Amino acid sequence: MLQPSAAFLSPARPRAVAHWLLAVAAMIVGIVIVGGITRLTESGLSITEWKPVTGIVPPLNEAGWLAEFAKYQQTPEYREINSGMTLDGFKAIYFWEWLHRALARAIGVAFAAPLAWFWLRRQIPHGYEPRLLALLALGALQGAIGGWMVKSGLSLRTDVSHIRLAVHLVVALVTLGGIVWTALDLLALHRDRMAHAARLRLVGVVALLLLVVQIVWGAFTAGLDAGYAFASWPLMGDAFYPAGAPGALPLANTIDDPIVVQFIHRWFAFVAAAGLLWLAVRAWQSAPRTAIAVAALVVLQIVLGIATLLSGVQIDLAVAHQANAALLLIAAVGAAHALGSTRTR
């Protein structure tokens, strides 16, 4: 920790670094939304190659489009599902995957370039350099996971692995949470140059873990198209648990069976909601607005989830459901941070 005199003479600019991190966090929310659209429109396998630099340029003429379409026509998804697709139809799904990858590259530049700038000018507060490097590494890992995910759908499957999809989403949201937490620490440091980094207390750990579990099964639901299994609520068809579905649930079924996955996702939501509402109650005294945001977003998330089911997974509702999950994570991180910035009551 810097001595008081050194702290005030330091060239560190915690507020500027925090604002940069919050801008990157907003970009991550954007890519989560585009990623949801990409999955829901079955666009994720339209680009069959991963070219980190040259891949940013889409086809620029008819010959280029025909070459990309020919590569897509070699995939199981095209042969078994989209064999009648026109070139215009291919261009439509190509757009969403291209936009998703372009945003990923933009986020990489938006994180790495300012990080280097702040670092060279010694404007990063002492002790935060390792944390920012870890977040940069998570971003690089996310790019590798994205390529690993896409590969799972190019040879034997007609879509990407739902497990790899879940890993891809969770790493993105863990990165988002880490960025927001670090920004909040830096804003606290701006207000008080002697402030300590917040601690993640037990109630925050439990609430955030419950939310992550719910998000994982949400990713399984999306990856397996499990949301289409039953478009009814609270019953699945005419029963709480549909007849003929597996009775004894082995581990594989909780991950791979669309009916079981939807069942878990629809009811574990209330377990996660209870944990998040308890976090909001605990954070009320130190951050009432954040606590209200957590409670409101929890209610909205459940309403959007039910509406998505009842609509037969209407795309705008499903995307709103995923976007709200990212906002709920940010609010929950804010509540946990506020609680960790004060003494246990």
Side-chain angles (χ1 to χ4, degrees):
M1 188 71 184
L2 292 174
Q3 296 299 317
S5 58
F8 287 99
L9 293 174
S10 168
R13 297 292 181 266
R15 183 170 66 170
V17 177
H19 287 171
W20 155 59
L21 289 175
L22 290 175
V24 174
M27 294 179 71
I28 294 176
V29 173
I31 200 172
V32 167
I33 293 171
V34 172
I37 297 173
T38 302
R39 173 63 195 133
L40 289 162
T41 55
E42 305 286 352
S43 302
L45 297 176
S46 57
I47 303 178
T48 60
E49 297 174 323
W50 174 239
K51 298 177 179 179
V53 179
T54 59
I56 189 64
V57 181
L60 300 177
N61 52 45
E62 193 73 3
W65 279 113
L66 289 172
E68 287 297 313
F69 192 24
K71 294 173 187 175
Y72 177 66
Q73 288 173 321
Q74 302 305 310
T75 66
E77 180 180 78
Y78 175 82
R79 293 195 302 267
E80 298 180 30
I81 299 175
N82 292 331
S83 59
M85 177 176 281
T86 64
L87 181 60
D88 286 339
F90 172 71
K91 289 180 180 180
I93 63 171
Y94 186 98
F95 168 77
W96 288 112
E97 176 63 6
W98 176 85
L99 180 60
H100 188 60
R101 296 191 186 196
L103 279 173
R105 292 178 173 92
I107 291 171
V109 173
F111 194 97
L115 175 60
W117 170 264
F118 286 125
W119 196 300
L120 292 172
R121 294 176 66 86
R122 299 183 179 181
Q123 293 182 349
I124 299 173
H126 178 68
Y128 282 85
E129 298 92 344
R131 200 191 302 190
L132 293 173
L133 287 177
L135 291 170
L136 178 65
L138 271 177
L141 175 64
Q142 179 70 339
I145 291 172
W148 174 65
M149 178 186 69
V150 169
K151 284 182 180 178
S152 68
L154 296 178
S155 56
L156 300 176
R157 302 171 58 99
T158 59
D159 54 11
V160 300
S161 163
H162 60 290
I163 295 174
R164 297 188 187 189
L165 175 67
V167 173
H168 189 53
L169 179 60
V170 167
V171 171
L173 294 179
V174 167
T175 306
L176 174 62
I179 287 174
V180 171
W181 186 283
T182 301
L184 293 173
D185 272 346
L186 289 166
L187 289 173
L189 189 63
H190 167 71
R191 292 188 295 268
D192 177 6
R193 286 301 178 100
M194 303 305 295
H196 293 277
R199 295 175 57 191
L200 184 56
R201 302 193 182 279
L202 180 61
V203 63
V205 171
V206 172
L208 290 171
L209 282 177
L210 289 174
L211 178 57
V212 167
V213 170
Q214 178 64 4
I215 287 171
V216 167
W217 260 264
F220 290 163
T221 300
L224 291 169
D225 292 325
Y228 297 99
F230 289 94
S232 58
W233 194 91
L235 301 180
M236 298 178 76
D238 57 359
F240 178 71
Y241 188 76
L249 304 180
L251 180 61
N253 282 341
T254 66
I255 294 173
D256 296 325
D257 187 290
I259 294 174
V260 179
V261 165
Q262 190 195 115
F263 179 82
I264 292 172
H265 186 57
R266 63 164 59 197
W267 295 115
F268 191 83
F270 293 94
V271 178
L276 290 163
L277 291 174
W278 180 240
L279 172 62
V281 169
R282 290 291 306 277
W284 172 259
Q285 289 187 338
S286 53
R289 291 182 180 179
T290 303
I292 291 172
V294 171
L297 289 169
V298 164
V299 173
L300 180 58
Q301 186 68 354
I302 291 173
V303 170
L304 285 171
I306 294 171
T308 300
L309 274 178
L310 295 178
S311 71
V313 193
Q314 188 173 309
I315 189 167
D316 53 350
L317 289 172
V319 171
H321 186 53
Q322 184 160 321
N324 195 71
L327 297 178
L328 177 55
L329 174 68
I330 291 172
V333 167
H337 187 276
L339 189 61
S341 300
T342 59
R343 292 183 178 181
T344 304
R345 301 184 186 279

